[in-house]
Amino acid sequence: MIRLYDGPVIWKNGRPEIVDCIDRVDGAKGKTIARKIIDRHLTAAGGDVGKLSLKFDALASHDITYVGIIQTARASGLKEFPVPYVLTNCHNSLCAVGGTINEDDHRFGLSAARKYGGIYVPPHVAVIHQYMREMFAGCGKMIIGSDSHTRYGAIGTMAVGEGGPELVKQLLGRPYEVSDPEVVCVYLTGKPRPGVGPQDVAIALIGATFKNAFVKNKVMEFVGPGVDNLSMDFRIGIDVMTTETTCWSSIWQTDERTRRYLEKHCRGEEYARLAPEEGARYDALITVDLSEIEPMIALPFHPSNAHTVRSFIDNAPDILRETEKEAQKQFGKVIKDGSFTSKYRDGNVYVDQGVIAGCSGGTFENVCRASGIIGDGSIGRDAYSLSVYPASEPVYLELMKNGALSSLTTAGATIRSCFCGPCFGAGDVPSNNAFSIRHSTRNFPNREGSKPGEGQNAWVALMDAASIAATSRNGGRLTPATEIEGIDGIYASEPSEEYRFDRKIYDNRVYNGWGRPMPEEELVFGPNIADWPKMGPLTDNILLYVASVITDPVTTTDELIPSGETSSYRSNPERLSRFALSRKDPEYVGRSLKIRELERERAGYTGNCGAAGSEPENSAETAPGFAAMYDGFGDWKDLAANTRIGSVVCARKPGDGSAREQAASCQKVLGGAANVAEAYATKRYRSNLINWGMLPLITDSLDELNPATGDRILIRGIRKAIAQGETLVDAEIVRAGVEGKREKTRFALGELSASERDIILSGCLINYYNT
């Protein structure tokens, strides 16, 4: 079905060929589709050896991220948007909690689009990625977005999801830097069977590549005869999920289907034939026989927890019990025995909810197929429910015209607006202990919106819209679409070929100010929109207080800063920061705030050092409160003047998932100064740490380091080490509750470019641009 080969491959006679000798392919890397596009987007700015400096054709953000990005850029000297910048409103569009603050942010976004010359897509009109596919993606382009699922490779656009500060750099005319990425050939053959959809292929790919990091920070290049057998919606559905493999970007060969897609969307001139040249070199190979893919399910708590639907049903008691035990390990007593295994009854698995939504599930073809599978049937009158969220108003309009929505409504489904809520815990939150199947992007712990700290838990499995429809037709009894009678006839046509795009909806509703900034316009602020707090530069030394230790194999950004209703406060750094690690380590915020207060005391005290009579005696009665932090490392007076105090989070592999920079910025606002990890799950999370002036420290083994809450870590000469490009730094540890004993250790800093070093030295990206 899917096979991996880690080694050099060349493109020869229209197919990949594994080679034994690297000399045979030297100099051929530039012949891949990916590298040709990258080379056209290189800037003149010189970079470090092995680093590429890129300028993107367009930017995209949604209403969880754009306020912070614009505020950061504004504080750094923004005058106008230098490239098209699309501000969509698909995450907090319901304005359901938080009073006026969500709509206040939307008004801010519109005023920013007017002032700086941007494009503003109002709430409920389109989800971010569907709008960018329909209106901006084109062959040979590059787009960067502040959402991790920024992927438009199926339309010939290399797209990258990053944290907001990387978009700030583009807004200020600065380049995006990335290590020269490897390119992996994904060679598709065969044709999917009727009943197999794009999410099935995507889950199979994620299952094969995530845990072994096979494509981490690389480009996935989709080629081969199997591409010709996939509709554009099918390709798009696979492509958007490549984010979950942890690849950096993706790109597909283009053909007449691509041309027709762009022509339908009034942009036929943006078509170009993209294909690897003869002799193109790839760094690795993935082969996928589409005809062997079966309906898949990704069980909690990650898209890589992949099984075929049939094998899951046949082995459900064992698999459900193992899933339950894993949940109990993570969440403890919240997960009761039987929470999962009770879903298996009489040889079947029963689910409580189905959702087809967003950039991955809400496409025209997915919804048409779901309607065709349910047909004249019913989803039943029991607890099971089905919700459908079309991805854009143009898609919604066509689904109304062809009767798909009326058919689904008659069957008992509810049709919602163009909204991303089910993907991040702000829509269709299930009941306690409910099992939801979703054609959406993620199924991380509590991503569906439950709150374990309040005794709640629900769980999500990812499936394709077709199998969700098959399950709905059976009233919630889990059913692979391939086992539905008449499935061949339902798949006999391609619904997307009948699709007619009507851009009048966008012409009538979307504000397009690109190229026409109005600097005289005032930004519209709401009471929750706050500036970033001031952040000082890196001091000569740094003293870190371990505020949280997470020993899970992978820590998601949702665990670092939860999604859902917390996103209502994303424009207020202080308020949002109070949610940091709230579902993983509820005591983290309190610990960090205490350390932040000690640092403020230290900074205020050292600011008066040298003034006559200002320095107290070093005694228990007169020493400042922060002095105890230095205990065990030497004279606190010698250290305090040039040794900042900050908190640190230790985790094995943090940063999987969302691109939201708040996962790092909230730590910084709380006084965070570093992370310690064995590895960083994604480039974008590590970049977020750096852009907020935090040290991305690496330890060989978290088990050997054995950090505990309350441990203190001193790194002397850290500023000098960063400035000189050192890759290793020595550190001293004083363990919590252990007096007078220092242990030595060493951390790696990883590869830091010159600009990344300067950002850390400045204290954050805002300071860097203002120095």
Side-chain angles (χ1 to χ4, degrees), residues 310-467:
R310 175 42 56 195
S311 67
F312 168 56
I313 295 170
D314 291 344
N315 298 281
D318 293 337
I319 296 174
L320 287 169
R321 181 57 187 147
E322 286 303 311
T323 307
E324 189 173 87
K325 287 164 63 177
E326 178 61 28
Q328 289 170 332
K329 185 188 304 181
Q330 289 202 40
F331 305 114
K333 295 179 180 179
V334 173
I335 310 297
K336 309 297 183 186
D337 285 343
S339 295
F340 293 7
T341 53
S342 64
K343 304 301 176 182
Y344 181 79
R345 301 189 298 274
D346 303 323
N348 295 295
V349 176
Y350 290 88
V351 301
D352 303 287
Q353 182 192 69
V355 177
I356 300 170
C359 59
S360 63
T363 62
F364 180 78
E365 189 168 281
N366 282 339
V367 179
C368 286
R369 289 265 165 79
S371 175
I373 288 170
I374 296 175
D376 295 331
S378 164
I379 70 168
R381 289 173 288 183
D382 211 332
Y384 178 80
S385 64
L386 173 66
S387 300
V388 178
Y389 295 72
S392 71
E393 286 284 89
V395 170
Y396 201 121
L397 179 61
E398 283 299 293
L399 291 168
M400 285 195 292
K401 288 180 178 179
N402 75 0
L405 294 187
S406 61
S407 176
L408 286 167
T409 301
T410 302
T414 54
I415 312 302
R416 312 297 177 87
S417 67
C418 310
F419 177 48
C420 298
C423 294
F424 70 98
D428 281 313
V429 179
S431 63
N432 189 43
N433 289 328
F435 180 9
S436 177
I437 53 172
R438 302 186 173 194
H439 192 153
S440 60
T441 54
R442 290 197 171 120
N443 62 335
F444 296 162
N446 317 117
R447 179 88 177 185
E448 80 297 321
S450 63
K451 299 178 181 180
E454 298 180 17
Q456 308 170 10
N457 189 75
W459 52 304
V460 168
L462 301 184
M463 286 174 58
D464 189 81
S467 290

Side-chain angles (χ1 to χ4, degrees), residues 746-757:
R746 175 173 284 190
F747 296 111
L749 288 165
E751 183 182 344
L752 292 170
S753 69
S755 63
E756 288 174 333
R757 293 195 298 271

Side-chain angles (χ1 to χ4, degrees), residues 274-292:
L274 301 180
E277 292 182 24
E278 181 75 8
R281 170 192 167 181
Y282 294 96
D283 298 285
L285 171 66
I286 302 172
T287 62
V288 183
D289 186 344
L290 296 167
S291 65
E292 294 183 359

